[in-house]
Amino acid sequence: MQAILGVLFHFIGGFASGSFYIPYKKVKGWSWESYWITGGIFSWLIIPLFAAWLTVPSFMSIISHTSLLTLFWTYILGVLWGIGGLTFGLSMRYLGMSLGMAVALGFCSAFGALIPPVYREFFGDGGATFSNMLQHGSGHFVLLGVTVCLVGIAICGRAGMYKEKDLPAAQQQESIREFDLKKGLTVAIISGILSACMSFAIAAGEPMAREAVANQANPLFRNNVIFVVIMLGGLTTNFVWCMILNSRNRSFGDYVNRKTPLVSNYLFAAIAGTTWFLQFFFYGMGESKLDNAPSSWILHMAFIILISSMWGFALKEWKGVSKRTLRTILLGITVIIISVMLVGYGNSLNN
């Protein structure tokens, strides 16, 4: 029963993550950086603080009594993850939901599985190394999953190239206003690699979660105190970059431009930001039920790819393409989901 609840919570979190970008499509007359950081204030500051206040007694006291080393690594990994989140938004901007999320999260899954053992190979922290992976069946499954993932990403990239050939630029931009395959694939790769830092940041902040449980917090919500610190790191990265873009593009006026529907723009950005954070709210609940962090992360990725792909088709991002292109993107997404499951199974054998 606990496992079923864990899977259900991960599905809800995946649905939130796979759906969060839709309200941004309702924002009118604002530059990307303006609505991204407006939603981000809710994603990385307001809602995490509110969730922690609601679910973790004396969460600020827990943070203030946590060692500086733990806070440092949790925050820094949050900053790196924030770069991944920033480029993740750009992936959606240039590739659309189905292709952008499939590529970015495929890389996130692959590198999330490979970075820790490679790190331990050279620096060692007591866990399994890359050499160990080569010698055990669990490691073989993880490496197979990573290989399959890269194949799936290549297939998705091929589908993107087919789409460029199938549709004139004007028609491509009917569903994705700034479709750009080369630029989109570049930022999606960067996003996938750095977004994996969220998994490491949660692990770095584990002492705070343990203290939350010791302080009578429901174990379901133990990670909410960690998210406060991680999200501050994400906010730092995104705020600095969006302010640079606001200055470069002279778009500071967006926030008070009465020629745009200001109320609805702020409302939709707030809904998008709140929905985005809910993925981690429910991720923490799912992880606490499954008690297997690697498999939780992989399951989370799989649900996001699945939901975002469905939204991509519902929003007609692939309308008008040839059957060959449609078959290719469906195959690519399917292969990535299979790869995610292979990595998750391999990691589960170690727990």
Side-chain angles (χ1 to χ4, degrees):
M1 186 61 184
Q2 297 299 309
I4 294 175
L5 280 175
V7 172
L8 176 62
F9 289 142
H10 279 305
F11 173 78
I12 297 172
F15 185 86
S17 181
S19 307
F20 88 94
Y21 206 79
I22 293 173
Y24 281 136
K25 292 179 177 290
K26 298 292 186 180
V27 176
K28 306 296 183 183
W30 280 10
S31 299
W32 176 86
E33 60 271 14
S34 300
Y35 64 72
W36 182 253
I37 195 58
T38 300
I41 295 295
F42 286 84
S43 301
W44 305 307
L45 183 63
I46 297 175
I47 303 303
L49 285 171
F50 178 72
W53 172 78
L54 202 62
T55 59
V56 181
S58 304
F59 75 95
M60 287 302 296
S61 176
I62 293 173
I63 293 174
S64 65
H65 287 88
T66 298
S67 73
L68 289 179
L69 188 62
T70 295
L71 291 175
F72 172 80
W73 283 113
T74 305
Y75 174 79
I76 290 299
L77 287 166
V79 169
L80 293 175
W81 162 79
I83 299 174
L86 175 64
T87 48
F88 186 78
L90 291 172
S91 301
M92 304 303 101
R93 178 181 178 183
Y94 296 130
L95 295 178
M97 292 186 65
S98 52
L99 182 57
M101 285 206 181
V103 175
L105 296 181
F107 270 104
C108 185
S109 169
F111 280 87
L114 284 182
I115 290 175
V118 170
Y119 172 84
R120 294 174 191 132
E121 187 73 36
F122 296 98
F123 302 102
D125 63 0
T129 65
F130 187 75
S131 298
N132 295 142
M133 290 179 66
L134 297 176
Q135 298 170 12
H136 295 88
S138 60
H140 295 163
F141 272 104
V142 171
L143 292 174
L144 175 62
V146 170
T147 303
V148 172
C149 177
L150 296 177
V151 171
I153 289 169
I155 295 173
C156 286
R158 174 67 65 177
M161 287 187 282
Y162 286 159
K163 181 179 181 181
E164 282 193 317
K165 294 178 181 179
D166 288 345
L167 304 177
Q171 192 173 345
Q172 291 173 23
Q173 293 171 357
E174 284 182 9
S175 57
I176 306 170
R177 284 179 291 180
E178 300 175 81
F179 183 80
D180 188 318
L181 184 63
K182 291 181 180 179
K183 193 180 292 186
L185 287 176
T186 300
V187 295
I189 291 170
I190 296 171
S191 171
I193 295 172
L194 292 179
S195 290
C197 289
M198 170 57 77
S199 181
F200 312 145
I202 293 173
E206 179 63 23
M208 286 183 280
R210 290 197 297 267
E211 184 62 28
V213 173
N215 202 40
Q216 307 304 314
N218 188 324
L220 269 178
F221 308 116
R222 64 187 184 187
N223 285 340
N224 285 348
V225 65
I226 306 176
F227 291 146
V228 170
V229 180
I230 297 175
M231 298 303 161
L232 282 177
L235 176 62
T236 301
T237 305
N238 284 265
F239 183 81
V240 169
W241 180 241
C242 287
M243 291 302 100
I244 291 173
L245 288 182
N246 274 149
S247 177
R248 181 185 299 171
N249 299 331
R250 299 180 180 179
S251 53
F252 277 115
D254 287 347
Y255 306 111
V256 293
N257 186 357
R258 295 185 178 277
K259 295 180 180 179
T260 64
L262 284 178
V263 174
S264 65
N265 280 0
Y266 277 109
L267 177 62
F268 283 120
I271 292 172
T274 301
T275 303
W276 183 92
F277 177 76
L278 289 178
Q279 67 170 307
F280 290 112
F281 184 83
F282 285 101
Y283 171 85
M285 295 171 68
E287 193 267 342
S288 71
K289 289 296 183 182
L290 292 182
D291 198 27
N292 185 312
S295 292
S296 281
W297 184 247
I298 294 301
L299 192 60
H300 185 65
M301 296 293 102
F303 278 133
I304 297 173
I305 294 171
L306 182 62
I307 297 298
S308 61
S309 298
M310 293 172 64
W311 275 119
F313 288 109
L315 294 171
K316 300 179 180 180
E317 291 179 353
W318 299 88
K319 180 183 178 182
V321 299
S322 66
K323 290 183 178 179
R324 178 188 67 171
T325 302
L326 197 57
R327 285 196 301 267
T328 304
I329 186 60
L330 287 172
L331 175 62
I333 290 169
T334 301
V335 169
I336 289 175
I337 291 175
I338 291 172
S339 77
V340 166
M341 293 304 182
L342 285 170
V343 172
Y345 180 70
N347 277 320
S348 70
L349 296 179
N350 291 321
N351 289 271

